[in-house]
Amino acid sequence: TNIILQLIGAILLAVLLGGSYVAYRFFVGPGATPSYKFATVESGPITASVAATGTLNPVVAVQVSSQISGQIREIFVDFNSTVTAGQLIAQIAPETYEHRVRQAEADLEAARATVAVQQAELYRAKVNLADAERDYKRKQSLVEKNYISSAELDKAQTTLEAAKAQLRVVEAQASNSAALVRQRDAQLGQAKVDLGRTQLRAPVDGIVIKRSVEPGQTVAASLQAPEMFVIARNLSDMQVETAIDEADVGRLLAGQEATFTVDAFPGKRFKGEVRQVRKAAQVVSNVVSYTVVISAANPDLILLPGMTANVRIVTAQKDKVLKVANAALRFRPPSTEEKSAPAGRQPGSGMGRARSSAGSGKLWVLGADGKPSVIEVKTGINDGNQTELVEGDVSEGREVIVGMTAAAEKAKATPPRMF
């Protein structure tokens, strides 16, 4: 019996000691001395940038279209063909337009013959007018001598007026015939232009990067000219067209340095600069963006149109500043977090993007009593990982709190057990 009582007492003592340890662990241990992670305020260069993706395109890409309808008789170029301005690249069947030229030439000859007839009529009208004038003057003198009656003079005057009217009619007809000649001549010129358009020629020097037709295909140029070829003027000078979010476009200016990479050459970085910030907004799914054009030198012709470029544009750069990790500006001690939620994203949070707007923030350091104390600072640019410190009671080498250790975080997140 004594042995059983001793065993029961030992078991109760062990349970009591274990419960005391657990109670101390959960009620006293976690809140006594929380552990923090620190970062050091550093001095050095910092660069703010904007990252985006875009598409490589030729600076000048000319679409070659047909202004007339017809069947493609022959094509003289292919993809990647080098062409010069004025070079014949395709031929449309010309027979229809040749017949139109011959018809226009015949119409012009007919109009010129009509003009010749009108000229003869004009000459005859002038002769008739001269004869009527002479007859009127002769009868006028005879009436004065009372050789003929006044009725004869009146008849001669009527004939004279009719001859004048006939002359004006013939002159108008001659003018109309001359205008008809000019009209037929213009129609002949248009027919020759259409005949010349059956030969498609390269408008610029360059390389054919697209061909949309085949021999025997019929093109119909009715409301819109069909695209047949695309010629890039110069592939050694290309550009990247990228969409920049409206939150970042205000920091971009023409002339800023940029670099980009393409998947085809992952180990190679290409240089360029911002050439243009277009003011036309693009709205996709309620997201507003603006097109930014970046120059891309391509002397080796290894960059091809349509490649996806990962662009990084430098918006601000400083050689020597005080800077701190963005995590230090995001940190809040547990007591302050419980009292008030943050009003918005703290400066330096980055969200994975390099920002350059100045603002204010708070840094927490460990005080003499072992508790966190706050330091108000003003921030400048940041590169997505570190933020510039413009003003504040901080110096190079000072340690600031960036977070809590895993054990402290677990203790803060796990509520104490109640026994």
Side-chain angles (χ1 to χ4, degrees), residues 206-393:
I207 298 175
V208 178
I209 61 175
K210 183 179 180 182
R211 194 190 80 180
S212 305
V213 292
E214 296 292 339
Q217 182 176 342
T218 300
V219 294
S222 53
L223 298 178
Q224 185 176 4
E227 178 190 280
M228 300 177 65
F229 302 92
V230 176
I231 299 177
R233 176 176 288 181
N234 183 11
L235 289 182
S236 63
D237 184 17
M238 302 185 69
Q239 64 186 22
V240 179
E241 296 180 6
T242 179
I244 302 296
D245 186 82
E246 61 177 330
D248 296 320
V249 72
R251 300 190 283 129
L252 300 183
L253 298 172
Q256 289 176 335
E257 294 182 359
T259 58
F260 65 91
T261 59
V262 294
D263 294 339
F265 306 98
K268 187 174 180 62
R269 187 173 295 274
F270 302 89
K271 294 183 179 181
E273 67 176 23
V274 176
R275 181 176 293 172
Q276 184 183 53
V277 180
R278 296 178 180 171
K279 295 179 173 57
Q282 298 178 349
V283 182
V284 179
S285 300
N286 294 328
V287 177
V288 181
S289 60
Y290 294 83
T291 300
V292 176
V293 179
I294 300 165
S295 63
N298 187 27
D300 300 330
L301 302 180
I302 59 176
L303 297 175
L304 303 179
M307 284 184 171
T308 300
N310 302 307
V311 183
R312 180 176 178 268
I313 305 172
V314 177
T315 58
Q317 185 173 8
K318 296 183 179 180
D319 294 331
K320 187 173 180 61
V321 297
L322 285 179
K323 56 185 180 179
V324 70
N326 291 343
L329 293 166
R330 292 195 298 265
F331 174 76
R332 294 292 179 272
S335 59
T336 60
E337 288 181 355
E338 294 172 0
K339 291 179 181 179
S340 61
R345 189 178 66 184
Q346 297 297 329
S349 60
M351 297 298 289
R353 177 185 300 166
R355 309 289 297 178
S356 64
S357 56
S360 60
K362 295 180 180 180
L363 294 177
W364 295 83
V365 298
L366 206 59
D369 56 355
K371 296 181 179 180
S373 60
V374 65
I375 298 176
E376 299 284 345
V377 294
K378 288 186 178 180
T379 59
I381 65 174
N382 85 72
D383 59 4
N385 296 317
Q386 294 181 313
T387 301
E388 174 194 9
L389 299 178
V390 179
E391 294 182 8
D393 186 17

